[in-house]
Amino acid sequence: MDLQTGVRIYQFVRDRQDDLRNAQHPGGHDAYVQSWRDAHGLSQDYATAVQADDVGEAGRFLSALVAMADQWKSHPDYPVLAGQAPGGTRADPESRS
């Protein structure tokens, strides 16, 4: 786990939230603001846990960020984590050439 992983996923979520805000504003503005706060808080908590070398907490916060990002799994910019194939599916280690 490193800081860039959290930043990459957070930025992806932020970009998708901006897309939603633009599509839904003004009716969806309050939901957008809360979603942004949630993602921002998780990103900050993840960074703090990584800096403290608290792998368990970092993993918990990263999982929550990934859960937020999962609604956009089909998006071409969806961040791929180690051990995953594009699109968020688990990579099959047996399929390597």
Side-chain angles (χ1 to χ4, degrees), residues 3-87:
L3 291 175
Q4 288 304 312
T5 301
V7 169
R8 187 168 39 103
I9 295 171
Y10 169 67
Q11 189 60 52
F12 174 80
V13 169
R14 280 285 316 276
D15 290 346
R16 301 300 67 76
Q17 288 170 335
D18 287 348
D19 293 345
L20 285 175
R21 182 196 61 210
N22 293 339
Q24 297 173 348
H25 189 54
H29 184 71
D30 291 340
Y32 163 79
V33 169
Q34 186 59 53
S35 180
W36 182 91
R37 286 180 181 153
D38 293 345
H40 184 71
L42 288 170
S43 174
Q44 294 300 303
D45 292 341
Y46 173 78
T48 299
V50 168
Q51 289 295 326
D53 203 25
D54 187 340
V55 175
E57 280 295 290
R60 189 171 70 80
F61 293 125
L62 184 61
S63 291
L65 267 174
V66 169
M68 288 187 81
D70 278 350
Q71 64 184 309
W72 298 290
K73 269 188 175 179
S74 64
H75 193 281
D77 294 331
Y78 184 84
V80 177
L81 299 175
Q84 286 187 334

